[in-house]
């Protein structure tokens, strides 16, 4: 049976957050897994054209997100100016993410996070959007480096790593980390040989170490002497 991957679209999404993991997962499915991934673009509203935050580039959502469907859900971040006055009509990234968090997508993702058969994943500001919706309190997560303090302020534990695996939640950092997330998901679900095959096809090697809350806790050199 194929594994479902639902990639969330919302107005102002960052195209690379979507396309990077999409291409990795499609390549894994079509070239090395015999089509075992069922990948779809979804939205909170159902089928519609969704305009990104990058020069009006548009992608098509073909269905509403189904939180009860076993598999993977991937939430991207937003694309737009970092600074600006929202009262002047400037749609900054924080404004776009907050607007997304206020849609029906937040309760849908909340349902998905209660489903043991669903793995929720994010790229870049996608974790901030979920945090703004009150979904990541106490969770180990990462976002773009510019949003780490905001992430902490929501009650999440911000971890400075390229990809953070918190069990049923996997988050990735800045935009290009979508490549690393896609490859890690292939490894996690299907093994390292599949992930390595896509790395070779793309001529790209993953960056960093995937962070998990396991193993020994690091001790800083000299900590005992100064205690």
């Amino acid at each position: 049976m194929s594994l479902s991957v639902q990639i969330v679209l919302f107005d102002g999404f960052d195209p690379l957050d979507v396309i990077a993991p999409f291409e990795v997962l499609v390549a894994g499915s079509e070239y090395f897994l015999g089509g075992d991934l069922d990948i779809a673009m979804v939205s909170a509203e159902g089928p519609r054209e969704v305009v990104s935050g990058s020069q009006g580039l548009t992608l098509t959502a073909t269905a509403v997100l189904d939180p009860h469907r076993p598999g993977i859900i991937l939430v991207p971040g937003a694309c737009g100016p970092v600074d600006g006055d929202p009262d002047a009509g400037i749609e900054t990234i924080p404004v776009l993410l907050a607007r997304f968090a206020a849609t029906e997508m937040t309760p849908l993702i909340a349902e998905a996070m209660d489903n043991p058969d669903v793995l929720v994943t994010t790229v870049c500001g996608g974790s901030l959007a979920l945090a703004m919706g009150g979904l990541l309190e106490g969770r180990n997560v990462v976002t773009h480096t510019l949003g780490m303090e905001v992430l902490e302020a929501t009650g999440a534990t911000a971890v400075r790593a390229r990809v953070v695996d918190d069990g049923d939640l996997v988050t990735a950092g800045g935009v290009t980390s979508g490549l690393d997330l896609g490859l890690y998901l292939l490894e996690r679900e299907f093994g390292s040989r599949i992930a390595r095959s896509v790395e070779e096809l793309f001529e790209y090697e993953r960056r960093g170490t995937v962070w998990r809350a396991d193993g020994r806790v690091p001790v800083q050199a000299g900590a005992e002497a100064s205690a």
Side-chain angles (χ1 to χ4, degrees):
M1 187 172 66
S2 61
L3 177 69
S4 166
V5 180
Q6 300 181 82
I7 300 178
V8 173
L9 301 180
F10 61 91
D11 294 321
F13 72 90
D14 189 309
L16 189 56
D17 289 3
V18 171
I19 296 302
F22 172 80
E23 289 225 24
V24 168
L25 295 172
V26 167
S29 180
E30 294 186 354
Y31 290 101
F32 306 111
L33 291 170
D36 279 352
L37 288 176
D38 178 16
I39 306 168
M41 303 287 182
V42 300
S43 76
E45 303 79 19
R48 70 180 182 97
E49 298 295 303
V50 187
V51 181
S52 77
S54 183
Q55 295 290 307
L57 179 68
T58 301
L59 294 178
T60 302
T62 59
V64 66
L65 175 71
D66 182 356
H68 306 293
R69 187 173 187 180
I72 297 169
I73 293 172
L74 189 150
V75 181
C79 181
V82 176
D83 300 310
D85 184 1
D87 293 333
I90 299 176
E91 296 193 329
T92 63
I93 289 177
V95 167
L96 293 169
L97 293 177
R99 184 181 299 160
F100 168 64
T103 68
E104 286 301 311
M105 187 56 73
T106 292
L108 288 174
I109 295 289
E111 283 190 64
M113 294 181 78
D114 287 336
N115 186 341
D117 296 322
V118 174
L119 171 64
V120 174
T121 70
T122 70
V123 180
C124 199
S127 57
L128 276 177
L130 300 190
M132 289 176 177
L135 301 181
L136 299 187
E137 186 172 354
R139 302 301 300 263
N140 298 304
V141 289
V142 66
T143 189
H144 190 284
T145 183
L146 295 178
M148 294 292 274
E149 290 185 4
V150 178
L151 199 56
E152 285 275 5
T154 67
T157 300
V159 179
R160 294 192 176 276
R162 186 76 166 169
V163 175
V164 174
D165 185 334
D166 200 41
D168 60 355
L169 174 70
V170 179
T171 56
V175 269
T176 57
S177 66
L179 291 167
D180 304 270
L181 175 66
L183 289 164
Y184 176 64
L185 291 176
L186 288 177
E187 179 183 36
R188 176 173 154 145
E189 298 296 328
F190 302 104
S192 60
R193 288 181 290 185
I194 298 298
R196 180 58 185 158
S197 295
V198 177
E199 281 187 335
E200 290 179 341
L201 178 66
F202 279 30
E203 295 188 357
Y204 175 81
E205 293 184 357
R206 278 181 290 172
R207 292 172 51 191
T209 300
V210 175
W211 187 95
R212 303 180 192 85
D214 58 14
R216 293 181 58 172
V217 177
V219 177
Q220 290 187 342
E224 293 184 5
S226 61

